[in-house]
Amino acid sequence: MATKKTPLTKDTLIAMYMDYTLAHDEKPKSVYQFSKINGFTESAFYAFFGTIESLEKEIFKTFLDKTLELLDKNKDYDSYDMKSKMLSFYFTFFELLTANRSYVVMSLKQHQHQLKNLMQLSELRVAFKKYVTGIITDDIRTQQERFQNFQDKAIQEGSWIQLLLTLKFWLDDDSAAFEKTDLYIEKSVKVTFELMHITPIDSLIDFGKFIFKETIQKKS
């Protein structure tokens, strides 16, 4: 249990919250209760988080932050292509989730209403989409500048949906060492990038221009 002399940080608060939730099989009923049990003041809590819910959201973003910290320690990571970076992200991210599986499963299954569970992932979603934008490479991105923003957003949203589907698969995975999830990651990322290259957006745009031109000419 923390004492008043223990310096509080965002990470220590997160650790305390996760420990409390797992030990009591429920989240704290209030900031006051959580603070009193752990020996610090409410004002100390509010220096880092406005509500219990904002702390919960930060937990999942922290998993992503820690993932990126680990990836940055790999001196070869920057030279990877987008597919390899995405695979590295997935395996590292889910390794961290597995190390905290009891909390993740409990928190994401606490509400029957799935939307309430997904609300905890809102900060993760923002950070993940930013990460995806940062690793999009020229061989994926269209050369037509006015469509690049649209394409980036499409890749962001598609990647986010893929992450959610992988998370759902992992939550339901009962295989030893979650080997099925590893296989799922490999196959799903492979298929995603194969589709990107089979149907490049530049070809779709050129085809759209052709159809538009032909339609206009026939009407003239």
Side-chain angles (χ1 to χ4, degrees):
M1 181 180 293
T3 66
K4 292 182 179 179
K5 294 182 180 180
T6 303
L8 284 181
T9 65
K10 187 175 290 187
D11 286 343
T12 57
L13 279 172
I14 286 174
M16 290 176 192
Y17 181 82
M18 292 172 68
D19 286 342
Y20 178 95
T21 302
L22 290 171
H24 295 81
D25 199 29
E26 64 178 3
K27 70 179 187 180
K29 293 181 173 58
S30 66
V31 173
Y32 171 79
Q33 180 196 44
F34 177 61
S35 301
K36 186 173 183 179
I37 288 175
N38 285 284
F40 56 85
T41 64
E42 280 191 80
S43 60
F45 177 92
Y46 292 130
F48 298 95
F49 302 104
T51 62
I52 291 290
E53 288 71 26
S54 63
L55 186 154
E56 290 178 323
K57 293 176 182 178
E58 185 67 24
I59 291 174
F60 286 94
K61 180 180 176 295
T62 298
F63 289 142
L64 182 140
D65 292 339
K66 299 296 184 184
T67 296
L68 298 186
E69 287 177 13
L70 291 171
L71 292 177
D72 286 341
K73 291 180 181 179
N74 181 352
K75 61 181 181 180
D76 297 321
Y77 175 75
D78 285 339
S79 65
Y80 290 171
D81 59 19
M82 184 178 176
K83 177 183 175 183
S84 298
K85 285 182 176 179
M86 189 64 79
L87 280 171
S88 297
F89 172 87
Y90 265 94
F91 286 126
T92 306
F93 182 71
F94 279 93
E95 185 176 344
L96 286 177
L97 291 191
T98 298
N100 297 276
R101 184 174 172 87
S102 293
Y103 174 81
V104 175
V105 171
M106 179 180 175
S107 62
L108 292 182
K109 292 187 174 182
Q110 64 178 307
H111 300 294
Q112 291 184 346
H113 197 306
Q114 289 299 313
L115 184 59
K116 289 185 178 180
N117 292 325
L118 288 177
M119 285 298 293
Q120 295 184 72
L121 306 180
S122 59
E123 293 298 323
L124 170 63
R125 178 175 181 270
V126 173
F128 178 69
K129 288 170 64 177
K130 181 179 179 181
Y131 165 73
V132 170
T133 299
I135 65 171
I136 297 175
T137 50
D138 290 340
D139 61 320
I140 299 296
R141 183 178 278 117
T142 176
Q143 298 306 305
Q144 304 190 48
E145 292 185 9
R146 61 180 176 149
F147 291 102
Q148 285 180 0
N149 187 49
F150 168 79
Q151 184 195 27
D152 288 355
K153 288 182 178 179
I155 292 175
Q156 287 175 0
E157 293 300 334
S159 298
W160 172 243
I161 291 172
Q162 183 180 32
L163 182 62
L164 288 179
L165 291 174
T166 307
L167 180 58
K168 176 64 168 61
F169 189 94
W170 175 80
L171 287 169
D172 296 334
D173 188 2
D174 59 0
S175 63
F178 307 104
E179 294 174 348
K180 290 181 180 179
T181 297
D182 288 344
L183 187 61
Y184 180 94
I185 289 171
E186 290 180 2
K187 289 184 178 297
S188 63
V189 171
K190 179 182 178 181
V191 168
T192 297
F193 280 88
E194 285 179 349
L195 288 173
M196 284 184 186
H197 287 291
I198 289 173
T199 314
I201 192 170
D202 285 334
S203 297
L204 292 175
I205 292 170
D206 288 340
F207 180 67
K209 287 180 177 178
F210 170 77
I211 295 298
F212 178 77
K213 182 179 178 181
E214 290 298 308
T215 302
I216 294 298
Q217 286 180 342
K218 288 181 180 179
K219 289 183 177 179
S220 301

